[in-house]
């Protein structure tokens, strides 16, 4: 496994191996990331993983400074997962000058996560476009836990006609249902015990829709009050169309219930797809 820190070395290394698949990360790797790598591995001769905590996608009051950085442990896991190239640039390498050219996603960037985190998807799209132009992969893997991120990036690739296939990966969960996330590490023991409620609420909403419920607003409000009753501060629970994350229209069969809620100081997100039979 080659660990590369500079753009020049990366370009040189990948010139020798242009058939590559890419898994961008911010490090602090858990089993969810390893699953992305396992999906990547059979698709190309060379699997490239980036580790870069991207300041551009964090708001001024968010956790950029305290975001866990665990480079040694990450490299060990990546080597065990038979990754070929780790690209771990520092900020000056990715942003040698202030990044004044930015990728402005569609209005999708302002809803749901975007409403709570202004500028977040602009930062994500900008760094991912930049990483794509450095790595030049034919495919890239993104987890569906960050559902809106996946949709934003899928649309970006389509709109800019990038020759890259975006492959979504299922969310990996702890045995009690909690979606794996770096931010789970911020939870106290008591909060960790409470945390699976988010998935339980989503599964309940999923069950109701599968059983024929169509009053989505009632489901959303009911789910949010269940979280609030248990001491959470929900930002949203929203039933949306998978294709564009807009409110469902009559006859839509492929939906997704998305949620974001604060448990103590930690903001957790999760979602569950609902596929109604035709
Ligand atoms: O999902 C993430 O870890 C980040 O948003 C990404 C895609 C690596 C961009 O910084």
């Amino acid at each position: 496994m080659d660990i590369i820190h500079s753009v020049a070395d990366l370009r040189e290394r990948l010139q020798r191996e242009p058939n590559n698949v890419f898994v961008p990360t911010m490090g602090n790797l858990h089993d969810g990331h390893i699953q992305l790598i396992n999906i990547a591995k059979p698709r190309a001769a060379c699997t490239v993983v980036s580790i870069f905590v991207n300041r551009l996608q964090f708001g001024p009051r968010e956790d950029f400074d305290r975001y866990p950085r665990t480079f040694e442990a990450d490299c060990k896991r990546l080597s065990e997962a038979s990754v070929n190239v780790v690209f771990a640039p520092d900020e000056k390498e990715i942003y040698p000058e202030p990044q004044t050219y930015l990728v402005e996603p569609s209005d999708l960037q302002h809803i749901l996560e975007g409403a709570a985190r202004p500028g977040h998807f602009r930062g994500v799209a900008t760094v991912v476009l930049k990483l794509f132009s450095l790595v030049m992969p034919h495919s890239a893997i993104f987890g569906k836990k960050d559902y809106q991120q996946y949709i934003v990036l899928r649309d970006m690739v389509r709109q800019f006609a990038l020759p890259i296939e975006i492959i979504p990966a299922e969310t990996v969960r702890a045995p009690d249902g909690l979606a794996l996330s770096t931010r789970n590490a911020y939870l106290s023991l008591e909060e960790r015990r409470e945390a699976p409620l988010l998935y339980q609420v989503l599964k309940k909403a999923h069950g109701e829709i599968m059983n024929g419920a169509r009053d989505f607003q009632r489901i959303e409000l009911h789910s949010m009050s269940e979280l609030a009753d248990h001491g959470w501060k929900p930002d949203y629970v929203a039933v949306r169309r998978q294709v564009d994350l807009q409110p469902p229209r009559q006859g839509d069969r492929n939906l997704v219930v998305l949620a974001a809620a604060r448990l103590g100081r930690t903001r957790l997100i999760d979602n569950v797809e609902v596929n109604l039979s035709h």
Side-chain angles (χ1 to χ4, degrees), residues 51-257:
I51 297 179
F52 180 65
V53 185
N54 173 40
R55 189 189 292 273
L56 269 194
Q57 70 190 69
F58 288 78
R61 284 198 302 275
E62 291 185 358
D63 54 347
F64 175 79
D65 287 326
R66 69 180 181 123
Y67 198 86
R69 284 142 172 102
T70 51
F71 186 62
E72 302 296 316
D74 291 346
C75 284
K76 189 163 175 286
R77 291 209 73 170
L78 293 174
S79 160
E80 282 161 10
S82 306
V83 163
N84 304 92
V85 174
V86 179
F87 178 47
D90 67 14
E91 266 195 298
K92 278 200 226 72
E93 204 59 29
I94 294 294
Y95 301 124
E97 54 188 86
Q99 186 73 27
T100 50
Y101 281 51
L102 301 164
V103 178
E104 196 68 54
S106 72
D107 282 349
L108 187 54
Q109 69 171 314
H110 301 304
I111 62 172
L112 303 168
E113 278 309 275
R117 307 184 66 188
H120 171 67
F121 289 114
R122 187 191 301 130
V124 169
T126 301
V127 80
V128 170
L129 181 66
K130 196 154 187 174
L131 290 167
F132 280 174
S133 63
L134 298 174
V135 176
M136 296 206 288
H138 58 63
S139 313
I141 325 286
F142 292 90
K144 281 204 262 185
K145 186 187 148 273
D146 295 301
Y147 207 89
Q148 194 173 358
Q149 167 172 283
Y150 154 60
I151 301 289
V152 164
L153 296 173
R154 181 202 64 188
D155 289 0
M156 175 183 85
V157 161
R158 192 184 61 234
Q159 288 232 334
F160 287 122
L162 304 179
I164 300 171
E165 186 186 357
I166 299 294
I167 298 163
E170 295 305 323
T171 300
V172 178
R173 299 181 181 281
D176 61 7
L178 178 65
L180 298 192
S181 162
T182 297
R183 293 189 168 100
N184 294 350
Y186 301 154
L187 298 169
S188 69
L189 271 180
E190 201 184 321
E191 289 165 349
R192 176 62 190 82
R193 273 196 289 274
E194 175 63 30
L197 183 69
L198 189 60
Y199 182 50
Q200 286 160 17
V201 163
L202 287 169
K203 273 209 307 197
K204 204 189 273 183
H206 172 274
E208 286 182 33
I209 300 169
M210 290 302 279
N211 286 333
R214 292 294 177 271
D215 186 348
F216 299 132
Q217 210 174 8
R218 189 197 60 78
I219 293 173
E220 292 168 358
L221 290 174
H222 187 261
S223 305
M224 288 208 275
S225 39
E226 188 165 350
L227 289 165
D229 287 348
H230 286 81
W232 296 61
K233 290 199 180 65
D235 272 347
Y236 60 82
V237 176
V239 182
R240 296 295 167 101
R241 297 147 54 98
Q242 286 175 22
V243 67
D244 55 9
L245 302 186
Q246 294 303 311
R249 301 185 197 139
Q250 196 153 17
D252 280 333
R253 316 299 297 170
N254 300 115
L255 309 178
V256 54
V257 193

